[in-house]
Amino acid sequence: MDSEEPIIKVRGLKNQFGSQVVHDNLNLDVYRGEVLGIVGGSGTGKSVLLRSIVGLQRPTSGSISVLGQTISQMDEDKRRLLEQKWGILFQDGALFSALTVAENIQVPYREHLQLSETLMDELAALKISMTGLPLEAGTKYPSELSGGMRKRAGLARALALDPDILFLDEPTSGLDPIGAAAFDTLIRDLQSTLGLTVFLVTHDLDTLHATCDRIAVLADKHVTVQGTMSDMLKCDHPWVKEYFTGPRARAAQMSASG
Amino acid sequence: METGGTATLETEETDAGYLVRAGGVWTVRFVRGLDAPLRDLMPKRTRGRDAVIDLTGLSRLDTAGAWMLHRTAEQLRVAGLRVSYLGETAEFRTLLNVVATQRSGFNLRLPPAPFFQQLAERIGGLIVTAGHEVRGLVGFFGLLLQALWRTVKHPSRLRLVPFVHHMERTGFDALPIVCLITFLIGGVLAQQGAVQLQRFGAEIFTVNLVAITFLREIGILLTAIIVAGRSGSAFTAEIGSMKMREEVDAMRTLGLDPMDMLVVPRVLALIVMLPLLTFIADMMGLLGGAMVVWQMQGTSPGIFIVRLKEAADFWTFGVGMIKAPFMALVIAMIGCYSGLKVTGSAESVGQETTRSVVKSIFMVIVLDALFAIFFTTMGI
């Protein structure tokens, strides 16, 4: 497989809601095995971009291809196959409230594969353990879990089918700093052991420092700059400057280097 | 990327030892068929011998495949073999390490409780909930009376704008649906009554049937049920979502009493509007009945009115109307109470709204039955 061929390719993306244009001529590449962080101010359409890539939001125009297949020109069967190759963690986990954590993880197994009950239980236990949840979490319902545990359970479900790509929507929002740092480490560890490509939407500077290989900044309706953290620090776009060299950024930098 | 692929498994037992050969694509999509064979896998001679798991033919592995390899290795180890891997790449090694270091095999299913225990638990739970509910409602009724009394003593405490707003929402906006439904039911009642009474040659009493049932019972009952479904649920949902977003708590901290701000205007608005709606419902029901009688029996509207006067006196109408404010109080009270009972989550708003409608319709019918007994005893 050519490592230089992007795994996600977005070209000329335009998203418009009524008269409000969110994205205009947006281009973005994500390469295999990297962690790409998407940042941008509130309302710059970070989540809309994620939703467009996974096909939850139909773009006004432009093309998106994932793993070499164009999203908009796909029939149902191909789509279903492709959807098994990515996992998505929504902001609050988006666990099914009527199912226990273990049953949530087993949903994709039941829907797409015919595995024996014992094997499904073993695999669910494996994912629960891999995402660092306590053992007894498996039999609990989402409403009985804390926010951090719900995110871990959501991550376990996203990883159920061993996807190639993992989409994370604000994985650390609403977590305390200790929980957030632990989650960053978890993402990094899983990424390196499972060889995942991670598409990460975040506001959290610490997460950017701790996990991302590359960062793409959304501003002025498109990707203004993309590159490594040091590229960001050199950039002189006013928003980027403010974001990466503001008072909070310096604190995050210090904690990352120290 | 692989869309088709197979996972293969071969075993070979020689004098040198036991060989397990894994090949192909061992990912979660393709390992299904290997689960049972791997569980049954066991060489004839075990203790002290060597087992080799050969991964040379393996092109892809994920955590599911790695788990099954690891499980098999453990199974052989427990049987007393010395297990080693052959031909593992760095990538496979990482995955095997990951699954080997996880805690696994713990219980993910809670055993279901025995049937009778579940039955007893649910019945007990229902009774306790019902007890709490009654206590809560009685307590809320007390608070409401207190708030109403404060409003009577100081009429300036009444929030006029929300009061009028809720009068419009619960009364005026409900007119089309109330009119349509009562008109149709009036017509149906007259039509069905006429057919049955005809058998006794008593079709002349159709007017009595329509007038008495509608004015005494059906008019108010239908209106109350429509309003419970329409406005009672809206009260719960509105107050409930405010409670969920902590708006009610914010109100308290700013020194505003949610009883005055949210509950009293709604309760008073409904107490004013439900009798008015009932009056219109009565009229529409009679109109529906009159239309049908005119069509079926040729009784002109003029004659209908004359018959109506003979059939019903003021109290026939009065009995229906007297019930209206009481039903309004019950509906508004249950609606607001359920709304204030909402806790943090969005599901709770939905649950309380459903419960509020069920409870208020139930209470409306209970109240109607009590009134029926009362009026019959009083001879009205």
Side-chain angles (χ1 to χ4, degrees):
Chain A
M1 208 154 302
D2 190 356
S3 62
E4 285 310 299
E5 180 60 19
I7 196 166
I8 301 173
K9 200 155 100 180
V10 182
R11 288 290 174 271
L13 178 73
K14 182 173 180 183
N15 269 309
Q16 189 170 3
F17 300 101
S19 61
Q20 192 200 355
V21 179
V22 179
H23 298 139
D24 197 11
N25 195 24
L26 185 147
N27 299 314
L28 181 70
D29 288 329
V30 184
Y31 296 96
R32 181 172 287 276
E34 73 171 350
V35 180
L36 178 74
I38 303 286
V39 294
S42 299
T44 48
K46 301 184 293 292
S47 293
V48 176
L49 176 61
L50 191 156
R51 292 172 64 87
S52 307
I53 294 175
V54 298
L56 288 171
Q57 156 82 40
R58 211 185 176 77
T60 316
S61 66
S63 81
I64 296 168
S65 65
V66 178
L67 293 160
Q69 301 181 54
T70 311
I71 296 282
S72 53
Q73 301 164 349
M74 220 179 289
D75 57 37
E76 274 299 307
D77 294 338
K78 274 193 173 166
R79 253 198 83 81
R80 212 164 296 142
L81 270 178
L82 186 63
E83 277 166 357
Q84 295 175 36
K85 289 180 187 152
W86 66 51
I88 306 170
L89 170 62
F90 291 94
Q91 269 197 36
D92 195 35
L95 296 166
F96 303 120
S97 51
L99 305 178
T100 63
V101 169
E103 287 166 343
N104 259 290
I105 299 171
Q106 289 167 350
V107 166
Y109 298 142
R110 280 181 210 283
E111 184 59 32
H112 299 298
L113 313 164
Q114 288 95 43
L115 303 180
S116 70
E117 291 286 325
T118 5
L119 183 60
M120 280 200 294
D121 279 0
E122 286 169 1
L123 292 181
L126 186 67
K127 304 291 165 179
I128 287 173
S129 173
M130 277 169 66
T131 48
L133 282 167
L135 307 184
E136 64 275 10
T139 51
K140 285 191 177 159
Y141 286 92
S143 55
E144 301 169 288
L145 301 178
S146 69
M149 280 161 83
R150 270 206 296 277
K151 291 207 181 199
R152 282 172 191 265
L155 187 62
R157 186 180 67 183
L159 291 175
L161 290 176
D162 274 84
D164 295 329
I165 311 171
L166 184 62
F167 292 94
L168 305 171
D169 193 0
E170 310 243 358
T172 52
S173 73
L175 299 185
D176 63 80
I178 300 170
F183 206 87
D184 290 342
T185 321
L186 176 69
I187 293 169
R188 195 74 241 192
D189 287 350
L190 288 173
Q191 191 272 335
S192 59
T193 49
L194 304 180
L196 294 166
T197 306
V198 181
F199 183 98
L200 180 117
V201 171
T202 191
H203 264 309
D204 191 334
L205 282 156
D206 294 297
T207 305
L208 288 176
H209 277 288
T211 59
C212 294
D213 298 315
R214 243 164 26 96
I215 297 165
V217 180
L218 282 192
D220 312 328
K221 296 172 186 145
H222 59 271
V223 177
T224 318
V225 255
Q226 44 181 327
T228 60
M229 187 51 98
S230 51
D231 294 338
M232 294 299 125
L233 296 173
K234 275 179 265 169
C235 175
D236 43 54
H237 184 281
W239 190 87
V240 180
K241 225 181 165 73
E242 173 113 34
Y243 187 87
F244 286 99
T245 53
R248 284 168 159 251
R250 277 195 289 276
Q253 236 171 306
M254 266 155 61
S255 70
S257 57
Chain B
M1 293 301 304
E2 95 287 357
T3 43
T6 44
T8 58
L9 171 72
E10 287 165 37
T11 55
E12 202 180 308
E13 193 170 0
T14 59
D15 287 338
Y18 190 59
L19 183 68
V20 180
R21 213 177 274 127
V25 184
W26 280 51
T27 62
V28 68
R29 258 175 291 283
F30 305 110
V31 290
R32 187 204 329 159
L34 298 180
D35 185 33
L38 278 173
R39 273 179 216 282
D40 299 336
L41 184 138
M42 189 53 65
K44 291 191 187 70
R45 292 171 21 209
T46 52
R47 192 145 299 280
R49 288 168 61 84
D50 286 309
V52 175
I53 300 179
D54 183 3
L55 307 179
T56 5
L58 206 59
S59 62
R60 235 176 99 87
L61 185 69
D62 70 358
T63 52
W67 162 252
M68 287 168 73
L69 287 173
H70 171 70
R71 197 184 65 191
T72 310
E74 284 302 305
Q75 188 178 314
L76 294 173
R77 248 174 228 138
V78 168
L81 287 100
R82 285 186 297 273
V83 186
S84 59
Y85 290 101
L86 179 72
E88 43 180 344
T89 63
E91 190 194 334
F92 294 169
R93 184 70 259 164
T94 324
L95 277 173
L96 285 168
N97 279 339
V98 168
V99 297
T101 48
Q102 303 306 324
R103 297 151 301 172
S104 57
F106 48 87
N107 194 18
L108 290 179
R109 288 162 202 270
L110 293 177
F115 175 74
F116 285 105
Q117 192 187 329
Q118 276 188 38
L119 191 73
E121 238 177 64
R122 286 178 69 164
I123 294 175
L126 275 176
I127 293 172
V128 172
T129 324
H132 282 307
E133 196 70 9
V134 171
R135 260 182 64 177
L137 262 174
V138 171
F140 186 74
F141 185 54
L143 279 176
L144 178 63
L145 287 182
Q146 219 180 10
L148 285 175
W149 178 241
R150 275 202 305 268
T151 316
V152 172
K153 272 203 303 198
H154 310 282
S156 60
R157 286 181 76 106
L158 179 66
R159 316 283 150 157
L160 215 54
V161 175
F163 174 61
V164 175
H165 169 76
H166 288 299
M167 276 175 39
E168 184 189 338
R169 291 269 309 279
T170 58
F172 189 73
D173 291 353
L175 271 179
I177 184 78
V178 168
C179 288
L180 180 69
I181 288 183
T182 48
F183 177 81
L184 291 176
I185 297 284
V188 171
L189 197 65
Q191 194 257 339
Q192 291 296 318
V195 171
Q196 295 303 317
L197 288 171
Q198 219 157 25
R199 297 211 229 160
F200 309 105
E203 66 264 38
I204 198 154
F205 290 113
T206 312
V207 180
N208 299 45
L209 176 79
V210 173
I212 292 173
T213 44
F214 229 93
L215 294 181
R216 275 188 83 112
E217 296 291 336
I218 309 269
I220 171 66
L221 211 52
L222 270 180
T223 317
I225 290 173
I226 295 168
V227 167
R230 217 184 147 274
S231 307
S233 60
F235 289 176
T236 310
E238 287 161 4
I239 298 181
S241 54
M242 289 181 76
K243 183 87 193 297
M244 194 183 79
R245 288 193 302 253
E246 299 186 313
E247 286 175 52
V248 175
D249 296 334
M251 236 175 231
R252 280 215 180 93
T253 57
L254 292 171
L256 304 167
D257 185 356
M259 276 319 251
D260 286 348
M261 298 290 293
L262 301 174
V263 180
V264 170
R266 285 181 169 82
V267 171
L268 286 182
L270 205 60
I271 289 180
V272 174
M273 292 319 278
L274 192 62
L276 296 178
L277 277 176
T278 307
F279 175 75
I280 289 167
D282 285 351
M283 294 305 115
M284 290 306 288
L286 290 179
L287 185 66
M291 289 293 160
V292 169
V293 175
W294 191 10
Q295 277 299 310
M296 283 180 71
Q297 302 175 345
T299 315
S300 74
I303 300 175
F304 185 91
I305 291 174
V306 174
R307 293 258 176 80
L308 184 66
K309 278 185 182 163
E310 288 166 9
D313 56 6
F314 171 77
W315 277 109
T316 318
F317 166 73
V319 161
M321 291 302 284
I322 280 178
K323 297 183 216 172
F326 293 96
M327 292 190 174
L329 178 67
V330 166
I331 294 168
M333 193 176 82
I334 293 179
C336 295
Y337 171 71
S338 306
L340 287 171
K341 250 183 54 185
V342 164
T343 52
S345 66
E347 295 101 80
S348 139
V349 177
Q351 277 170 8
E352 285 301 334
T353 308
T354 315
R355 276 193 214 141
S356 137
V357 174
V358 173
K359 266 186 283 183
S360 45
I361 290 179
F362 171 75
M363 283 308 292
V364 158
I365 289 169
V366 169
L367 204 60
D368 191 59
L370 291 179
F371 269 116
I373 297 169
F374 174 74
F375 286 128
T376 316
T377 328
M378 301 302 287
I380 302 172

